[in-house]
DNA sequence: CATGAATGAGCGTTCATTCAT
DNA sequence: GATGAATGAACGCTCATTCAT
């Protein structure tokens, strides 16, 4: 990569970092381009040198978040020989990731897709969706491995289980983020412990066939 | 309640009904006060006679949504003698409720609280949180009944399980809403079926003790 | 017309008057909505209460200018029994009109049409074109009357002659406006006299058949 | 001219050629300095090495357009022994010139001068006006030759007739450009034919004394 | 000299809110 | 009490211009 490209990447990164901070704090809609410019210490016009629009910034954050998440999940799976340990590590990496990336995670669970449907595929959305599918695929394969090792009940189709697991854990992470005070007051658990329990709860859901009435 | 108060309540209700329709259709951010005034057939200024701000309208809808949800959950519990049937009915009422109230439900899961913390407790937020706690209480009692009937593993504290169940189901509902197209393409399920499976998945999570490595 | 409608018309008129002044002075492109708001002594937002966009303001000015011009031309024709006197009056009314309406006249000669072709018929453009055609029709009929009275050579098709006459006079008016200083210096004529001569020049062009080489 | 000066002229010429292409295509207002830089294959900053501002570029193009027009007119006059043929050739060269130079011609008729008067004479305007005067002189001499040859009525002062002819033809060219569709629909003539007829119309205006009532 | 990078000032438009009637 | 009218404050975005290298 040339020096120029590196510098461009540096500025794009600074802007994205600033935007990410603000998005996490106030959400994408309430964060203005002026806010981002101020936080990143560029002029607003400079933002448009590095990104074509606010939407491109949002999508770039989403994409980088998704890519990082995928990497962490793969590392978690590959880094543990025991399936159960790997499962805990996967959940932990998702949870930790969300602590640093609330907005990106939000998107990972699909919150952006409807906006994206506005007309056609707005620049960058295709990549985001593709990475999301790749993560789904990685998790599905992981689940099937668990099934072969007898840790996971084989009766449910892997992909559907992944989607439900993913959505359920996302909901818990979201709750742990938005309602940490309430959770602390009610059940006396910090965010991390609460989410460990949640991960285990979801694991139990996958270890046995359906309930018989 | 005096005649005057009753009239005031009537107007507030009309406005909220209109706002609710629009919020469900376009979301709170994309719904303008002009939209609400037109839909409710009041002048925009009149909205400010009955509500101090747009945020108060949003919070009032949240509150009414929470109250309705609580009512439906109680009915579902009281309307079935079999715990398992009652469980399915509870999940179904939550799911159906969300189909008509995406925004309110979003809030019910806590998405509004951080914005609320901005300064102090903005008018109406306290009520919302209180109803949320009441629902948590109802569900915790229901879970304990399930525990006594042998349907639910007794080892986990009821309140924590409620919080996790609630958050997990919320995540699934959210995913089913935002990603229905992707879910249909990937696993070939419509929203309702997907969420039935999700409810059962969460139920299984609650019927057995923790996984032993 | 109700009181409310009258008031609305009054405000629209004030805004249009201000815009017309500024357009004449700086052109439509260099006149901003802020300029118009300041000149009309409204807030910028109020402009958008009475007009949907800047383009609607431009088009409204064009239309009113065209309508007024048509009225003046008709009055000039009907107010004189002698064709020659009527001809002079028509030219004079065009010339005078332009002194007060440089922008509208510019448009009358078609300068707006290409912008209008952008996509489809932008609101109000159809009316403008229609009035333009009506004026062409009025002038064509007037020319044919001149032909019957022997004042105008009958050999050329009336409509084409109208178009050429109109375009030629427009060019002279334009020049008289933009280059009045130069004209004064070079030939020692004020604007009005210069344009009288121009009108007569064009008249002569219409009184005899084509030149034979 | 030194080598350095020649190089400077070369770069100025390249920039002007690029700008001219774009101005003809999109107009001066909608052409950005970025567009010009891209088209000329210089960096935008380099444009400011050779021109002080966008306006100077516009004026320089105007000037070169005027110079070219003058050259073409002189050639047309000198290239035909018959006055009538020369007249047709002059009109044709003006018309053709405009097809390739709509913007420059617009300016040639004076559209720029009032903007120029804003403060003082902005750089380059004086040259433009001077060339305009030279063209006027050439045409006046040509008219006097026509008068001596009996083709043009001698009664009118040559300079004034030139100004009126020029302004009238400019108006027709302008109309033929902006309203070619309407003209085609109404009288079924293409641009070139319409303007031929216009030229002849103006010629007839110059061949006889004033109309007698 | 040539330029990549940066930006100030501005654009048309929107919308929650206010206030005289 | 109800409202029509008005608006301040933003918004996302553009572009002619500058300047360190």
């Amino acid at each position: 990569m040339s020096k120029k490209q590196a510098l461009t990447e540096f500025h794009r990164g600074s802007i994205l970092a600033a935007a990410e901070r603000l998005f996490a704090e106030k959400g994408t809609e309430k964060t203005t381009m002026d806010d981002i410019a101020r936080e990143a210490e560029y002029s607003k016009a400079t933002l448009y040198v590095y990104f074509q629009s606010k939407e491109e910034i949002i999508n770039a954050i989403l994409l980088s978040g998704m890519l990082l998440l995928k990497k962490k999940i793969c590392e978690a799976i590959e880094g543990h020989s025991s399936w159960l340990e790997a499962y805990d590590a996967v959940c932990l990496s998702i949870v930790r990731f969300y602590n640093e990336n609330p907005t990106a995670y939000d998107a990972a669970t699909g919150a952006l897709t409807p906006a994206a449907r506005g007309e056609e595929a707005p620049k960058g959305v295709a990549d985001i969706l593709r990475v999301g599918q790749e993560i789904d695929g990685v998790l599905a394969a992981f689940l099937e491995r668990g099934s072969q090792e007898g840790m996971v009940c084989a009766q449910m189709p892997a992909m559907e289980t992944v989607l439900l697991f993913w959505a359920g854990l996302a909901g818990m992470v979201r709750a742990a983020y938005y309602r940490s005070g309430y959770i602390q007051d009610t059940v006396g658990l910090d965010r991390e412990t609460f989410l460990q329990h949640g991960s285990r709860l979801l694991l139990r859901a996958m270890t046995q066939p359906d309930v018989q009435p």
Side-chain angles (χ1 to χ4, degrees), chain A:
Chain A
M1 188 190 287
S2 74
K3 200 169 205 169
K4 179 195 147 185
Q5 277 177 319
L7 205 50
T8 292
E9 280 314 305
F10 173 78
H11 290 312
R12 283 181 63 105
S14 300
I15 292 165
L16 290 177
E20 201 162 4
R21 260 170 273 143
L22 294 168
F23 288 170
E25 191 185 317
K26 321 197 286 180
T28 57
E29 305 246 19
K30 307 230 161 192
T31 299
T32 72
M33 292 298 272
D34 275 292
D35 290 336
I36 298 172
R38 205 175 305 114
E39 176 80 14
E41 295 183 292
Y42 291 89
S43 87
K44 185 161 55 161
T46 305
L47 266 39
Y48 286 88
V49 173
Y50 294 103
F51 297 92
Q52 288 187 19
S53 66
K54 186 184 180 186
E55 194 176 357
E56 196 188 325
I57 293 178
I58 295 173
N59 285 343
I61 288 178
L62 258 35
L63 181 59
S64 75
M66 299 286 289
L67 286 170
L68 184 55
L69 180 56
K70 183 188 167 189
K71 186 166 157 254
K72 295 265 180 170
I73 287 173
C74 289
E75 287 170 4
I77 291 172
E78 286 157 14
H80 297 84
S81 52
S82 151
W83 191 90
L84 187 57
E85 283 176 15
Y87 174 84
D88 282 337
V90 165
C91 292
L92 191 61
S93 66
I94 292 176
V95 165
R96 289 221 169 120
F97 171 75
Y98 189 51
N99 286 339
E100 296 146 23
N101 272 293
T103 304
Y105 194 86
D106 226 25
T109 62
L112 92 150
T113 16
R117 279 197 199 130
E119 295 288 278
E120 66 245 29
K123 189 167 191 173
V125 164
D127 287 332
I128 294 169
L129 293 178
R130 182 177 46 72
V131 177
Q133 288 182 8
E134 288 169 7
I135 297 180
D136 287 343
V138 168
L139 291 177
F142 178 63
L143 234 56
E144 273 171 356
R145 193 186 116 198
S147 173
Q148 286 158 13
E149 296 188 14
M151 301 298 298
V152 170
C153 172
Q155 279 179 298
M156 224 181 181
M159 198 45 124
E160 183 184 349
T161 307
V162 164
L163 258 31
L164 287 169
F165 158 77
W166 179 258
L169 186 55
M172 292 173 188
V173 168
R174 194 177 151 85
Y177 176 74
Y178 283 124
R179 317 183 70 189
S180 60
Y182 180 65
I183 290 165
Q184 182 65 256
D185 295 347
T186 312
V187 298
L189 297 177
D190 61 32
R191 178 148 65 211
E192 198 133 333
T193 311
F194 179 74
L195 287 171
Q196 270 175 11
H197 292 189
S199 304
R200 284 304 175 111
L201 185 108
L202 287 172
L203 176 59
R204 270 175 273 148
M206 297 186 284
T207 55
Q208 60 169 21
D210 208 350
V211 176
Q212 296 307 327

